[in-house]
Amino acid sequence: MSLREQFGKDVLLTGWGHSRFGKLTDETLESLIVQVASEAIGNAGIEPGQIDEIYLGQFNSGMMPLAFPSSLALQVSDQLANVPSTRVENACASGSAAFQQGTKSLLAGTAKTVLVIGAEKMTHAGADVVGSALLGADYDMAGKASTTGFTGLFAEVAKHYEKRYGPVSDILGTIAAKNHRNGVDNPYAQLRKDLGEEFCRTVSDKNPMVADPLRRTDCSPVSDGAAAVVLSVSPTGGATPPVRLAGFGHANDFFPAERRDPTEFAATRASWQRALGMAGVGLADLDFAEVHDCFTIAELLMYEAMGLTEPGQGARAIEEGWVFKNGKLPINVSGGLKAKGHPVGATGVSQHVIAAMQLTGTAGGMQLPTARRAAVQNMGGVGIANYVSVLEAV
């Protein structure tokens, strides 16, 4: 049973906008929000006054002094005066959290058209500020000093995985190389350079070990950027055909690390099962997926959590070519967080926009020859807050 059958109405992505990701010194949080919101509204073919509600995904966590940005989207037009607008925060999954809140407003019937925005400014803050802000998303390390930050947390995940299943360094290097290669074709990507497998697998002056076994190429960069999408219950006559939300899932795991299996990502698996179950489809019905590869070990674990392979066998998806652009289930054709960049509040919305572009044949150099159904997976913390959407062409 699809979302449409379950709730008796459609949730459609009818317009979208996306900024470049990277170190955007000439942009502010406000200018990024206004840019992508204006693009999304224009792409949807509607007037700003037709927006019933706004949700803004942003993490911040002390990276910016402005901690109350919910009304910034109103700067797009005077027609947005008095429109309800809410900031949504769920760590690095803030963008998808905002997307699901917008979805639920449509399903509840309190809105017919919702604007969802994800945005973050990070690069102006020092490494210590960013590191401390991100560690605020970890139960055990919040407020504590760390030389490796969140990289250290995922390095521990990788060590547990290696202890249980064997070495993964070369596989992680191949995942990094795949996503860097894909990022070359993404005009929004922060890192658009094909680094090759040998470079990504090798520790060097240009690719140092950040937290063993994770090298620099195993880590997503600090980024600025924004993305926006208009959600509607019916087509709006926009510049491109709409995209249908077929199903969605959300699951949270226990916060203390001692209550979680570090290699299982149990709540991530649950979010996949819920989304696929609502959509009434399986992995074999997907043409591609955009997943949360904040670190390469996260993508490897995603192959297993989504059910592409059995636990401990994620390497098969790489070794047998399944997740490459010409494979049976391409993963992160956009370059993923690894190459596209990871402005944390923007990431979930960006993933939905990139997927919508693929499904409408407007992805340019990223375009896959066959793209009718996709999944988007966004994660906050070390497998804590997990969101999955299944999207399909109309």
Side-chain angles (χ1 to χ4, degrees):
M1 179 180 289
S2 69
L3 179 153
R4 186 182 188 183
E5 294 167 329
Q6 183 172 338
F7 293 96
K9 64 175 69 176
D10 265 328
V11 173
L12 301 175
L13 288 70
T14 54
W16 44 83
H18 202 298
S19 79
R20 187 169 58 86
F21 281 6
K23 187 172 184 178
L24 309 180
T25 55
D26 294 332
E27 299 286 356
T28 64
L29 182 66
E30 179 179 333
S31 69
L32 287 168
I33 289 172
V34 169
Q35 174 194 331
V36 297
S38 299
E39 287 178 8
I41 292 169
N43 183 251
I46 62 174
E47 294 297 322
Q50 293 175 256
I51 300 293
D52 298 314
E53 200 164 357
I54 300 169
Y55 286 98
L56 169 65
Q58 188 216 20
F59 181 46
N60 194 356
S61 190
M63 289 185 286
M64 287 194 66
L66 179 63
F68 183 43
S70 58
S71 283
L72 288 179
L74 274 59
Q75 300 294 83
V76 169
S77 170
D78 289 347
Q79 294 181 41
L80 292 174
N82 302 319
V83 171
S85 186
T86 305
R87 175 190 171 221
V88 179
E89 186 279 311
N90 219 358
C92 296
S94 296
S96 285
F99 181 90
Q100 285 201 12
Q101 287 303 114
T103 295
K104 290 173 181 178
S105 288
L106 297 184
L107 295 178
T110 58
K112 293 183 178 179
T113 306
V114 174
L115 174 63
V116 178
I117 306 165
E120 208 77 63
K121 275 288 289 182
M122 303 173 70
T123 64
H124 64 283
D128 56 336
V129 174
V130 173
S132 176
L134 296 178
L135 283 175
D138 185 75
Y139 180 88
D140 301 288
M141 288 302 297
K144 297 180 181 179
S146 172
T147 57
T148 56
F150 236 80
T151 308
L153 300 179
F154 274 88
E156 288 302 310
V157 171
K159 289 176 183 177
H160 282 288
Y161 191 95
E162 288 190 318
K163 185 176 181 180
R164 187 174 298 181
Y165 299 118
V168 296
S169 181
D170 282 354
I171 290 296
L172 298 186
T174 303
I175 291 173
K178 169 184 72 74
N179 291 347
H180 275 288
R181 190 179 308 118
N182 288 346
V184 172
D185 296 323
N186 184 353
Y188 304 117
Q190 181 169 354
L191 305 173
R192 301 185 66 188
K193 186 175 182 179
D194 185 354
L195 298 177
E197 285 192 35
E198 183 175 356
F199 180 85
C200 292
R201 287 180 166 190
T202 305
V203 176
S204 64
D205 290 342
K206 292 186 177 180
N207 190 26
M209 189 72 74
V210 179
D212 190 23
L214 301 183
R215 298 146 296 214
R216 180 178 290 165
T217 49
D218 293 306
C219 311
S220 58
V222 173
S223 317
D224 305 326
V229 62
V230 173
L231 301 179
S232 310
V233 293
S234 59
T236 58
T240 58
V243 169
R244 178 179 291 116
L245 177 64
F248 62 90
H250 172 203
N252 270 52
D253 210 335
F254 295 107
F255 210 5
E258 64 183 18
R259 299 200 64 184
R260 290 177 276 117
D261 183 320
T263 68
E264 186 179 356
F265 278 35
T268 310
R269 183 181 297 272
S271 65
W272 274 99
Q273 292 171 345
R274 290 170 183 173
L276 293 171
M278 182 185 290
V281 301
L283 287 183
D285 299 306
L286 302 178
D287 295 309
F288 68 96
E290 289 287 322
V291 309
H292 193 99
D293 62 322
C294 50
F295 300 93
T296 50
I297 183 63
E299 180 168 328
L300 180 66
L301 283 168
M302 206 53 56
Y303 303 157
E304 301 173 14
M306 68 197 296
L308 190 57
T309 76
E310 293 298 316
Q313 297 181 22
R316 284 190 64 200
I318 281 286
E319 292 169 344
E320 299 185 24
W322 300 347
V323 294
F324 288 86
K325 197 169 183 177
N326 60 351
K328 68 176 185 179
L329 185 62
I331 301 287
N332 288 334
V333 175
S334 68
L337 286 58
K338 175 79 266 301
K340 183 179 62 177
H342 183 28
V344 291
T347 287
V349 182
S350 166
Q351 292 173 311
H352 285 85
V353 170
I354 294 293
M357 292 171 65
Q358 284 282 358
L359 294 171
T360 54
T362 58
M366 296 182 283
Q367 187 65 51
L368 293 166
T370 303
R372 298 294 298 171
R373 186 178 290 115
V376 165
Q377 181 269 331
N378 188 201
M379 178 174 68
V382 186
I384 303 297
N386 303 270
Y387 297 82
V388 176
S389 298
V390 178
L391 306 176
E392 59 187 22
V394 174

